[in-house]
Amino acid sequence: MSNTATLATLSGSNLSADPNWWRQASVYQIYPRSFSDSNGDGLGDIRGITAKVPYLKKLGIDAVWLSPFYPSALADGGYDVDDYRDVDPKLGSLADFDGMSAALHAAGIKLIADIVPNHSSNRHAWFKEALASPRGSAARERYIFRDGLGPDGGLPPSDWESVFGGPAWERITEPDGTPGQWYMHIFAKEQPDLNWSSREIRDDFLKTLRFWSDRGVDGFRVDVAHALTKDLTEPLLSRVELSLEGTATDGSHPFWDRDEVHEIYAEWREVFNEYSPPRTAVAEAWVHASRRGRYASPQGLGQAFNFDLLQADFDAGAFREIITRNLAEAAVSGASSTWVFSNHDVVRHATRYGLPKGGGRHAKGQDGKGWLLAGAPAGELDAGLGLRRARAATLLMLALPGSAYLYQGEELGLQEVTEIPDAARQDPAFFRNKGVEIGRDGCRVPLPWTPDGASFGFGDGGAHLPQPAWFGRYAVAAQDGAEGSTLEFYRQALRLRRELQGAEELEWLDTGNAGVLHFRRPGGWQSVTNFGGGAVGLPAGTVLVSSGPLDGRLLPGNTTVWLR
Ligand code: NOJ
């Protein structure tokens, strides 16, 4: 009997065997180091997650997406992986992982693991071997090594910049102590890019996919899915020639979104289909909308993130255009659409929407508008307005056909933490852009579970990123059972979504008001959002849930309501 079968038996019959379970799932992202700390060392861990499974079940989500939990020096929050088939001892053990997986499954919750194929960490056994081996060796071929330019090779092979700032090449010292070759890193220098033209790398990742699938992982979130294959034929073009900050839309860029990358995902799909139900995957691919469907095709990963709503202002016209376009694109690719407002890379949406237009969004790197690093919120924050809009946007999202991705803490209405002292910051984006970019730590501060006490209930010790005094107000215990709290609102909306969800169809209804969006789903379920400031009349129907208080049959501004 395979591990999968064992776990399925252990976990009872609560887990859906439907191969399409992911199509309209609500998926809750856990950033493990900041979720719940079971041993008081200040770092969230796997047992901390297991202890909170009842909380997750009550929230009403269908799946958990677990950000990287692998052994890591945390140079990039765990996206620098030392070993793809193990658990970071700081977070627990493989046995703890199995316990968490079984507990989630017993609660009817699927588990999606983050997989990071573009780069390993510089502490991975492969990279250590590459450093200890000579130029041209098989060990160096697993990465992207090049000789430098200039008479002594002291200049990087190209002027490319890394996504986190600074050069995309780092020089090594050869085993004999002399200054040596350079290796490519699209992200931090602790994240050397792997060479995906190597059959050994490809096979090893297939092994990793099976390793976790056998342990009961139901799906994968694929980090930087669009960067794996590279064409670094010399001479390497300069940054200006490539317009690295621009979007490559024809597959000709040397590393972003090349067509050959899909050969890799076709192989992955064969592995996914060895399982029942087939393992799922969602691509993190910051590519032009016209090319997103390739990642989402049933012959590939099956689904791809669409970050369009996350990048938009709170604006009816923008929302409608994005929703219409993405549903049409999903229909062509055969995937269901994905929706997301917050994740571990961006300013929380309750804060973005409380800032002047465009606030909290800092375009950097991947395609000039795609990569959102959490920049210092500029201008005045109206936290109350931000939260009202965030709740309205979320309720609208939960009514859309497709999968909804939620980020831990948004169900508490958490705001971005801006008051982190420089000395406490961890994000490489901060260190590589000193004085320009404050990085993404503000959305990664450990969750408040209780209004007071050590680390607001996160653990018995401290919290690895400082929690502000106002966190207590947002604590789970402060909102649990409290009428009108954001937590109770999420619970209600997620429960109703499960009950109401039908075919993946949406029909726009005319409102005669450009600031109001109204649509109907099969079964008569309707969602109305008033993006404007003034109240508007409610259409006919019974109110099921609203993102904020209604005024009789009036829908106030910045509010969404579901009707039937
Ligand atoms: C995308 C991840 O979401 C982000 O957190 C990480 O820094 C980069 N990929 C590099 O792995």
Side-chain angles (χ1 to χ4, degrees), residues 31 65 76 79-80 114 116 119 164 187 191 221 223-224 284 286 343-345 366 371 427-428 440 444:
Y31 193 73
W65 149 26
D76 181 20
Y79 285 90
D80 45 322
D114 215 314
V116 191
H119 41 267
F164 294 145
F187 295 91
Q191 295 166 297
R221 177 265 189 193
D223 189 66
V224 215
E284 188 223 16
W286 293 86
N343 63 32
H344 66 296
D345 287 332
Q366 295 205 32
W371 183 256
D427 187 359
R440 301 161 293 177
R444 300 174 177 182

Side-chain angles (χ1 to χ4, degrees), residues 415-435:
Q415 296 280 338
E416 186 81 3
V417 180
T418 53
E419 54 271 58
I420 300 175
D422 286 2
R425 289 205 172 268
Q426 300 177 10
D427 187 359
F430 168 76
F431 296 110
R432 294 181 70 92
N433 288 284
K434 276 249 163 95

Side-chain angles (χ1 to χ4, degrees), residues 171-191:
R171 194 172 199 188
I172 64 159
T173 302
E174 296 294 340
D176 65 4
T178 57
Q181 285 195 296
W182 298 71
Y183 66 87
M184 183 179 175
H185 59 91
I186 300 185
F187 295 91
K189 68 178 185 339
E190 294 85 358
Q191 295 166 297

